[in-house]
Amino acid sequence: MSTFYDKIRNKEIAPIGLGTWNMGDDLGKQDDEIQALRHGLDLGISIIDTAEMYGNGRSEKVVGEAIKGRREEVYLVSKVLPSNANFDGTIRACERSLSFLQTDYLDLYLLHWQGRYPVQETIDAMEELKNQQKIKAWGVSNMDVSEMQEILGSTSGSSCETNQVLYNLSRRGIEYDLKAFHDQQKIVTMAYSPIEQGRILTNKTFQGIADKHQVSAAQIALAWVLSHQNVVPIPKSASANRVEENFNSLKIELDQEDVEKFDLAFPPPTRKVSLEMI
C-alpha cells in the first residue's frame, strides 16, 4: 500500500486539501459549507481535513454529509485531542469521529498536538486502529523536531506519515530544520492556515505579484506554499467559488524574481524558533 508521501510524490492525489476549521458552527452556513466541500471533490480535490476538536464534532458532521455517497473519492483526515490520546481514549475518539463522519474508516488519523499521555501509548492505539481497519495510516500535528525524533524512535513510530503544522509566508520557522527533517524521513508536511487567515494579503508585495500573474493575492499565497516540495496546504473555505480559486493555485508557477521579492518581504529564518501554533 502506498504511503501519503507516495501518493503526493506520484501525483495520485492533488497536493492541496480542504480545511474545515469552524465549519458547522453556524447552522445558517452549513448548506454552503457542504456545497463547497462537494465542489472541491468535483474539481478533483481528495483531501478533506477535520478534527474532533472542531466544533466538538460539528465539523465532522458537516464533512459526513458532504461525502455521503462519495467516500471512495475522499482522502479523509481527522484528529484526536491530546486529552483523549491515551490508548482507550484514542480508540473511543476514533470511533466517535467515524460515527460523525458516517464512514467506517479514516485514511489518516492524527494526534492533534502532544499532551500529557506518553506518545508511545498513542502510537500503540493508532497501530491497533490500523489492525482493526478503522484507519489506514496515522500521523501527528504541531510537532517540532525533538518531538518528531521521539516519535520516530518509538516502537512503530516509523509509520508516522505526516506532521500538520502552521506554515505560510509569515510563519516560515519550519524552514530552519523541521521541513528538511520531514523530507529526509519521507514525512508529508501538511500546512494549515496557508494564507494566515487572509492577514498577510495586505502586504503590497502580494498585489504586485498577483497583478503580474493575473490572479488573486490569495492564490499567490497558496502558490508559494505549493512551490515547496512535499508540502500540502489545507485552506478552509465555505465558498464553492473560493474553493475553485484555491484549486486553480496549482496552475501558478512563481519565478525566481517572485521568490526573491517574497524573501525580502518575509525573510526566511536564520535561527531556530519555537514552533508556532494558532
mmCIF file of all heavy atoms in Angstrom, residues 36-74:
data_model
loop_
_atom_site.group_PDB
_atom_site.id
_atom_site.type_symbol
_atom_site.label_atom_id
_atom_site.label_comp_id
_atom_site.label_asym_id
_atom_site.label_seq_id
_atom_site.Cartn_x
_atom_site.Cartn_y
_atom_site.Cartn_z
ATOM 1 N N ALA A 36 -19.546 23.610 -0.738
ATOM 2 C CA ALA A 36 -18.147 23.949 -1.009
ATOM 3 C C ALA A 36 -17.275 22.695 -0.995
ATOM 4 O O ALA A 36 -16.419 22.501 -1.874
ATOM 5 C CB ALA A 36 -17.640 24.958 0.022
ATOM 6 N N LEU A 37 -17.493 21.833 -0.018
ATOM 7 C CA LEU A 37 -16.724 20.590 0.052
ATOM 8 C C LEU A 37 -17.032 19.689 -1.143
ATOM 9 O O LEU A 37 -16.114 19.094 -1.744
ATOM 10 C CB LEU A 37 -17.026 19.859 1.361
ATOM 11 C CG LEU A 37 -16.542 20.557 2.647
ATOM 12 C CD1 LEU A 37 -17.066 19.825 3.876
ATOM 13 C CD2 LEU A 37 -15.026 20.636 2.694
ATOM 14 N N ARG A 38 -18.295 19.588 -1.496
ATOM 15 C CA ARG A 38 -18.663 18.752 -2.651
ATOM 16 C C ARG A 38 -18.082 19.316 -3.946
ATOM 17 O O ARG A 38 -17.650 18.552 -4.822
ATOM 18 C CB ARG A 38 -20.182 18.645 -2.750
ATOM 19 C CG ARG A 38 -20.793 17.774 -1.664
ATOM 20 C CD ARG A 38 -22.305 17.746 -1.750
ATOM 21 N NE ARG A 38 -22.879 16.878 -0.731
ATOM 22 C CZ ARG A 38 -24.167 16.832 -0.407
ATOM 23 N NH1 ARG A 38 -25.027 17.627 -1.051
ATOM 24 N NH2 ARG A 38 -24.602 16.009 0.529
ATOM 25 N N HIS A 39 -18.038 20.637 -4.065
ATOM 26 C CA HIS A 39 -17.454 21.235 -5.263
ATOM 27 C C HIS A 39 -15.958 20.920 -5.330
ATOM 28 O O HIS A 39 -15.418 20.682 -6.417
ATOM 29 C CB HIS A 39 -17.688 22.743 -5.277
ATOM 30 C CG HIS A 39 -17.299 23.390 -6.570
ATOM 31 N ND1 HIS A 39 -17.844 23.023 -7.782
ATOM 32 C CD2 HIS A 39 -16.394 24.372 -6.850
ATOM 33 C CE1 HIS A 39 -17.312 23.747 -8.750
ATOM 34 N NE2 HIS A 39 -16.430 24.566 -8.211
ATOM 35 N N GLY A 40 -15.313 20.929 -4.173
ATOM 36 C CA GLY A 40 -13.906 20.544 -4.139
ATOM 37 C C GLY A 40 -13.690 19.135 -4.665
ATOM 38 O O GLY A 40 -12.767 18.879 -5.451
ATOM 39 N N LEU A 41 -14.562 18.225 -4.262
ATOM 40 C CA LEU A 41 -14.478 16.852 -4.781
ATOM 41 C C LEU A 41 -14.723 16.824 -6.283
ATOM 42 O O LEU A 41 -14.047 16.092 -7.020
ATOM 43 C CB LEU A 41 -15.494 15.957 -4.064
ATOM 44 C CG LEU A 41 -15.292 15.729 -2.560
ATOM 45 C CD1 LEU A 41 -16.399 14.838 -2.012
ATOM 46 C CD2 LEU A 41 -13.935 15.111 -2.265
ATOM 47 N N ASP A 42 -15.678 17.625 -6.747
ATOM 48 C CA ASP A 42 -15.961 17.694 -8.186
ATOM 49 C C ASP A 42 -14.724 18.127 -8.972
ATOM 50 O O ASP A 42 -14.473 17.648 -10.086
ATOM 51 C CB ASP A 42 -17.091 18.688 -8.477
ATOM 52 C CG ASP A 42 -18.446 18.232 -7.951
ATOM 53 O OD1 ASP A 42 -18.613 17.011 -7.703
ATOM 54 O OD2 ASP A 42 -19.331 19.092 -7.779
ATOM 55 N N LEU A 43 -13.940 19.033 -8.384
ATOM 56 C CA LEU A 43 -12.750 19.547 -9.052
ATOM 57 C C LEU A 43 -11.602 18.548 -9.057
ATOM 58 O O LEU A 43 -10.699 18.640 -9.893
ATOM 59 C CB LEU A 43 -12.281 20.836 -8.361
ATOM 60 C CG LEU A 43 -13.201 22.047 -8.479
ATOM 61 C CD1 LEU A 43 -12.763 23.133 -7.506
ATOM 62 C CD2 LEU A 43 -13.197 22.582 -9.904
ATOM 63 N N GLY A 44 -11.657 17.604 -8.131
ATOM 64 C CA GLY A 44 -10.574 16.623 -8.036
ATOM 65 C C GLY A 44 -9.737 16.759 -6.790
ATOM 66 O O GLY A 44 -8.675 16.130 -6.670
ATOM 67 N N ILE A 45 -10.201 17.561 -5.820
ATOM 68 C CA ILE A 45 -9.510 17.634 -4.525
ATOM 69 C C ILE A 45 -9.972 16.451 -3.682
ATOM 70 O O ILE A 45 -11.168 16.292 -3.440
ATOM 71 C CB ILE A 45 -9.824 18.952 -3.795
ATOM 72 C CG1 ILE A 45 -9.409 20.155 -4.656
ATOM 73 C CG2 ILE A 45 -9.114 18.995 -2.445
ATOM 74 C CD1 ILE A 45 -9.768 21.495 -4.052
ATOM 75 N N SER A 46 -9.037 15.631 -3.252
ATOM 76 C CA SER A 46 -9.386 14.433 -2.486
ATOM 77 C C SER A 46 -9.292 14.643 -0.981
ATOM 78 O O SER A 46 -10.077 14.087 -0.214
ATOM 79 C CB SER A 46 -8.455 13.269 -2.877
ATOM 80 O OG SER A 46 -8.558 12.979 -4.246
ATOM 81 N N ILE A 47 -8.324 15.430 -0.544
ATOM 82 C CA ILE A 47 -8.022 15.536 0.885
ATOM 83 C C ILE A 47 -9.024 16.452 1.580
ATOM 84 O O ILE A 47 -9.187 17.616 1.209
ATOM 85 C CB ILE A 47 -6.602 16.084 1.100
ATOM 86 C CG1 ILE A 47 -5.559 15.168 0.453
ATOM 87 C CG2 ILE A 47 -6.307 16.234 2.593
ATOM 88 C CD1 ILE A 47 -4.182 15.802 0.325
ATOM 89 N N ILE A 48 -9.706 15.921 2.579
ATOM 90 C CA ILE A 48 -10.543 16.724 3.466
ATOM 91 C C ILE A 48 -10.013 16.531 4.879
ATOM 92 O O ILE A 48 -9.906 15.405 5.365
ATOM 93 C CB ILE A 48 -12.029 16.333 3.401
ATOM 94 C CG1 ILE A 48 -12.589 16.548 1.984
ATOM 95 C CG2 ILE A 48 -12.837 17.135 4.415
ATOM 96 C CD1 ILE A 48 -14.061 16.210 1.843
ATOM 97 N N ASP A 49 -9.688 17.640 5.522
ATOM 98 C CA ASP A 49 -9.084 17.605 6.861
ATOM 99 C C ASP A 49 -10.064 18.142 7.890
ATOM 100 O O ASP A 49 -10.618 19.232 7.724
ATOM 101 C CB ASP A 49 -7.813 18.453 6.866
ATOM 102 C CG ASP A 49 -7.200 18.551 8.256
ATOM 103 O OD1 ASP A 49 -6.447 17.633 8.626
ATOM 104 O OD2 ASP A 49 -7.487 19.535 8.973
ATOM 105 N N THR A 50 -10.261 17.384 8.961
ATOM 106 C CA THR A 50 -11.137 17.812 10.036
ATOM 107 C C THR A 50 -10.548 17.349 11.366
ATOM 108 O O THR A 50 -9.406 16.892 11.429
ATOM 109 C CB THR A 50 -12.579 17.296 9.807
ATOM 110 O OG1 THR A 50 -13.444 17.886 10.772
ATOM 111 C CG2 THR A 50 -12.663 15.791 9.859
ATOM 112 N N ALA A 51 -11.315 17.469 12.447
ATOM 113 C CA ALA A 51 -10.824 17.083 13.774
ATOM 114 C C ALA A 51 -11.987 17.030 14.738
ATOM 115 O O ALA A 51 -12.966 17.765 14.583
ATOM 116 C CB ALA A 51 -9.781 18.084 14.280
ATOM 117 N N GLU A 52 -11.853 16.183 15.769
ATOM 118 C CA GLU A 52 -12.911 16.131 16.776
ATOM 119 C C GLU A 52 -13.031 17.460 17.517
ATOM 120 O O GLU A 52 -14.102 17.823 17.986
ATOM 121 C CB GLU A 52 -12.679 14.988 17.757
ATOM 122 C CG GLU A 52 -11.454 15.115 18.652
ATOM 123 C CD GLU A 52 -11.449 14.070 19.772
ATOM 124 O OE1 GLU A 52 -12.520 13.498 20.058
ATOM 125 O OE2 GLU A 52 -10.381 13.840 20.368
ATOM 126 N N MET A 53 -11.926 18.213 17.612
ATOM 127 C CA MET A 53 -11.942 19.485 18.328
ATOM 128 C C MET A 53 -12.780 20.536 17.611
ATOM 129 O O MET A 53 -13.335 21.437 18.252
ATOM 130 C CB MET A 53 -10.512 20.008 18.482
ATOM 131 C CG MET A 53 -10.400 21.268 19.322
ATOM 132 S SD MET A 53 -8.734 21.974 19.335
ATOM 133 C CE MET A 53 -8.713 22.807 17.735
ATOM 134 N N TYR A 54 -12.894 20.462 16.292
ATOM 135 C CA TYR A 54 -13.578 21.498 15.528
ATOM 136 C C TYR A 54 -15.081 21.457 15.815
ATOM 137 O O TYR A 54 -15.814 20.600 15.320
ATOM 138 C CB TYR A 54 -13.341 21.322 14.027
ATOM 139 C CG TYR A 54 -11.896 21.382 13.592
ATOM 140 C CD1 TYR A 54 -11.523 20.972 12.316
ATOM 141 C CD2 TYR A 54 -10.883 21.839 14.441
ATOM 142 C CE1 TYR A 54 -10.203 21.022 11.896
ATOM 143 C CE2 TYR A 54 -9.565 21.885 14.029
ATOM 144 C CZ TYR A 54 -9.220 21.477 12.760
ATOM 145 O OH TYR A 54 -7.917 21.518 12.349
ATOM 146 N N GLY A 55 -15.501 22.384 16.655
ATOM 147 C CA GLY A 55 -16.923 22.452 16.996
ATOM 148 C C GLY A 55 -17.406 21.255 17.777
ATOM 149 O O GLY A 55 -18.599 20.933 17.737
ATOM 150 N N ASN A 56 -16.482 20.578 18.482
ATOM 151 C CA ASN A 56 -16.866 19.402 19.272
ATOM 152 C C ASN A 56 -17.604 18.372 18.419
ATOM 153 O O ASN A 56 -18.619 17.801 18.827
ATOM 154 C CB ASN A 56 -17.716 19.816 20.475
ATOM 155 C CG ASN A 56 -17.834 18.721 21.520
ATOM 156 O OD1 ASN A 56 -16.944 17.882 21.656
ATOM 157 N ND2 ASN A 56 -18.938 18.716 22.261
ATOM 158 N N GLY A 57 -17.084 18.157 17.203
ATOM 159 C CA GLY A 57 -17.671 17.165 16.304
ATOM 160 C C GLY A 57 -18.563 17.743 15.220
ATOM 161 O O GLY A 57 -18.932 17.036 14.278
ATOM 162 N N ARG A 58 -18.912 19.027 15.341
ATOM 163 C CA ARG A 58 -19.829 19.612 14.338
ATOM 164 C C ARG A 58 -19.191 19.653 12.951
ATOM 165 O O ARG A 58 -19.872 19.435 11.940
ATOM 166 C CB ARG A 58 -20.266 21.014 14.774
ATOM 167 C CG ARG A 58 -21.212 21.018 15.972
ATOM 168 C CD ARG A 58 -21.793 22.396 16.217
ATOM 169 N NE ARG A 58 -20.785 23.373 16.614
ATOM 170 C CZ ARG A 58 -20.379 23.571 17.866
ATOM 171 N NH1 ARG A 58 -20.894 22.845 18.859
ATOM 172 N NH2 ARG A 58 -19.484 24.485 18.152
ATOM 173 N N SER A 59 -17.911 19.934 12.898
ATOM 174 C CA SER A 59 -17.212 19.928 11.608
ATOM 175 C C SER A 59 -17.251 18.541 10.983
ATOM 176 O O SER A 59 -17.510 18.391 9.781
ATOM 177 C CB SER A 59 -15.765 20.388 11.796
ATOM 178 O OG SER A 59 -14.999 20.135 10.637
ATOM 179 N N GLU A 60 -17.002 17.517 11.784
ATOM 180 C CA GLU A 60 -17.026 16.149 11.265
ATOM 181 C C GLU A 60 -18.412 15.799 10.720
ATOM 182 O O GLU A 60 -18.532 15.103 9.706
ATOM 183 C CB GLU A 60 -16.604 15.167 12.356
ATOM 184 C CG GLU A 60 -15.133 15.287 12.729
ATOM 185 C CD GLU A 60 -14.721 14.349 13.849
ATOM 186 O OE1 GLU A 60 -15.518 14.179 14.815
ATOM 187 O OE2 GLU A 60 -13.625 13.778 13.781
ATOM 188 N N LYS A 61 -19.453 16.281 11.379
ATOM 189 C CA LYS A 61 -20.814 16.003 10.909
ATOM 190 C C LYS A 61 -21.071 16.669 9.560
ATOM 191 O O LYS A 61 -21.717 16.074 8.680
ATOM 192 C CB LYS A 61 -21.834 16.459 11.947
ATOM 193 C CG LYS A 61 -21.832 15.616 13.221
ATOM 194 C CD LYS A 61 -22.816 16.149 14.245
ATOM 195 C CE LYS A 61 -22.798 15.303 15.514
ATOM 196 N NZ LYS A 61 -23.726 15.836 16.556
ATOM 197 N N VAL A 62 -20.569 17.888 9.364
ATOM 198 C CA VAL A 62 -20.705 18.569 8.070
ATOM 199 C C VAL A 62 -19.977 17.774 6.993
ATOM 200 O O VAL A 62 -20.508 17.549 5.892
ATOM 201 C CB VAL A 62 -20.156 20.008 8.152
ATOM 202 C CG1 VAL A 62 -20.007 20.618 6.754
ATOM 203 C CG2 VAL A 62 -21.071 20.884 8.998
ATOM 204 N N VAL A 63 -18.763 17.340 7.314
ATOM 205 C CA VAL A 63 -17.994 16.538 6.349
ATOM 206 C C VAL A 63 -18.732 15.250 6.017
ATOM 207 O O VAL A 63 -18.808 14.836 4.858
ATOM 208 C CB VAL A 63 -16.584 16.233 6.892
ATOM 209 C CG1 VAL A 63 -15.849 15.269 5.954
ATOM 210 C CG2 VAL A 63 -15.782 17.516 7.062
ATOM 211 N N GLY A 64 -19.309 14.617 7.032
ATOM 212 C CA GLY A 64 -20.051 13.381 6.808
ATOM 213 C C GLY A 64 -21.182 13.555 5.817
ATOM 214 O O GLY A 64 -21.427 12.699 4.957
ATOM 215 N N GLU A 65 -21.881 14.676 5.922
ATOM 216 C CA GLU A 65 -22.956 14.964 4.964
ATOM 217 C C GLU A 65 -22.390 15.235 3.575
ATOM 218 O O GLU A 65 -22.948 14.795 2.569
ATOM 219 C CB GLU A 65 -23.774 16.170 5.438
ATOM 220 C CG GLU A 65 -24.673 15.883 6.628
ATOM 221 C CD GLU A 65 -25.698 14.792 6.331
ATOM 222 O OE1 GLU A 65 -26.329 14.839 5.252
ATOM 223 O OE2 GLU A 65 -25.867 13.886 7.174
ATOM 224 N N ALA A 66 -21.283 15.943 3.512
ATOM 225 C CA ALA A 66 -20.704 16.321 2.225
ATOM 226 C C ALA A 66 -20.194 15.123 1.437
ATOM 227 O O ALA A 66 -20.280 15.095 0.205
ATOM 228 C CB ALA A 66 -19.566 17.318 2.432
ATOM 229 N N ILE A 67 -19.680 14.122 2.136
ATOM 230 C CA ILE A 67 -19.064 12.982 1.430
ATOM 231 C C ILE A 67 -20.015 11.797 1.290
ATOM 232 O O ILE A 67 -19.622 10.750 0.768
ATOM 233 C CB ILE A 67 -17.767 12.530 2.124
ATOM 234 C CG1 ILE A 67 -18.045 11.904 3.506
ATOM 235 C CG2 ILE A 67 -16.792 13.701 2.253
ATOM 236 C CD1 ILE A 67 -16.814 11.305 4.165
ATOM 237 N N LYS A 68 -21.248 11.960 1.730
ATOM 238 C CA LYS A 68 -22.212 10.857 1.652
ATOM 239 C C LYS A 68 -22.358 10.395 0.200
ATOM 240 O O LYS A 68 -22.598 11.188 -0.709
ATOM 241 C CB LYS A 68 -23.571 11.312 2.195
ATOM 242 C CG LYS A 68 -24.561 10.187 2.452
ATOM 243 C CD LYS A 68 -25.845 10.732 3.057
ATOM 244 C CE LYS A 68 -25.615 11.304 4.442
ATOM 245 N NZ LYS A 68 -26.911 11.726 5.074
ATOM 246 N N GLY A 69 -22.147 9.120 -0.013
ATOM 247 C CA GLY A 69 -22.233 8.553 -1.354
ATOM 248 C C GLY A 69 -20.992 8.768 -2.196
ATOM 249 O O GLY A 69 -20.942 8.334 -3.352
ATOM 250 N N ARG A 70 -19.953 9.423 -1.627
ATOM 251 C CA ARG A 70 -18.745 9.744 -2.395
ATOM 252 C C ARG A 70 -17.474 9.367 -1.630
ATOM 253 O O ARG A 70 -16.387 9.886 -1.894
ATOM 254 C CB ARG A 70 -18.719 11.242 -2.730
ATOM 255 C CG ARG A 70 -19.959 11.721 -3.438
ATOM 256 C CD ARG A 70 -19.865 13.176 -3.840
ATOM 257 N NE ARG A 70 -18.859 13.399 -4.873
ATOM 258 C CZ ARG A 70 -18.717 14.559 -5.520
ATOM 259 N NH1 ARG A 70 -19.510 15.577 -5.247
ATOM 260 N NH2 ARG A 70 -17.781 14.689 -6.446
ATOM 261 N N ARG A 71 -17.613 8.459 -0.679
ATOM 262 C CA ARG A 71 -16.477 8.137 0.201
ATOM 263 C C ARG A 71 -15.231 7.716 -0.562
ATOM 264 O O ARG A 71 -14.104 8.050 -0.168
ATOM 265 C CB ARG A 71 -16.891 7.030 1.198
ATOM 266 C CG ARG A 71 -15.781 6.623 2.173
ATOM 267 C CD ARG A 71 -15.401 7.771 3.086
ATOM 268 N NE ARG A 71 -14.303 7.450 3.981
ATOM 269 C CZ ARG A 71 -13.020 7.624 3.690
ATOM 270 N NH1 ARG A 71 -12.671 8.095 2.504
ATOM 271 N NH2 ARG A 71 -12.078 7.336 4.566
ATOM 272 N N GLU A 72 -15.401 7.012 -1.667
ATOM 273 C CA GLU A 72 -14.245 6.497 -2.406
ATOM 274 C C GLU A 72 -13.439 7.614 -3.069
ATOM 275 O O GLU A 72 -12.290 7.406 -3.476
ATOM 276 C CB GLU A 72 -14.686 5.481 -3.468
ATOM 277 C CG GLU A 72 -15.441 6.056 -4.659
ATOM 278 C CD GLU A 72 -16.893 6.431 -4.376
ATOM 279 O OE1 GLU A 72 -17.388 6.110 -3.260
ATOM 280 O OE2 GLU A 72 -17.523 7.050 -5.266
ATOM 281 N N GLU A 73 -14.006 8.815 -3.158
ATOM 282 C CA GLU A 73 -13.300 9.946 -3.766
ATOM 283 C C GLU A 73 -12.446 10.716 -2.769
ATOM 284 O O GLU A 73 -11.686 11.603 -3.155
ATOM 285 C CB GLU A 73 -14.308 10.930 -4.375
ATOM 286 C CG GLU A 73 -15.217 10.359 -5.439
ATOM 287 C CD GLU A 73 -16.265 11.375 -5.868
ATOM 288 O OE1 GLU A 73 -15.895 12.540 -6.119
ATOM 289 O OE2 GLU A 73 -17.455 10.996 -5.942
ATOM 290 N N VAL A 74 -12.573 10.384 -1.493
ATOM 291 C CA VAL A 74 -12.020 11.224 -0.430
ATOM 292 C C VAL A 74 -10.812 10.579 0.242
ATOM 293 O O VAL A 74 -10.810 9.379 0.524
ATOM 294 C CB VAL A 74 -13.097 11.500 0.646
ATOM 295 C CG1 VAL A 74 -12.568 12.459 1.711
ATOM 296 C CG2 VAL A 74 -14.365 12.054 0.008
#
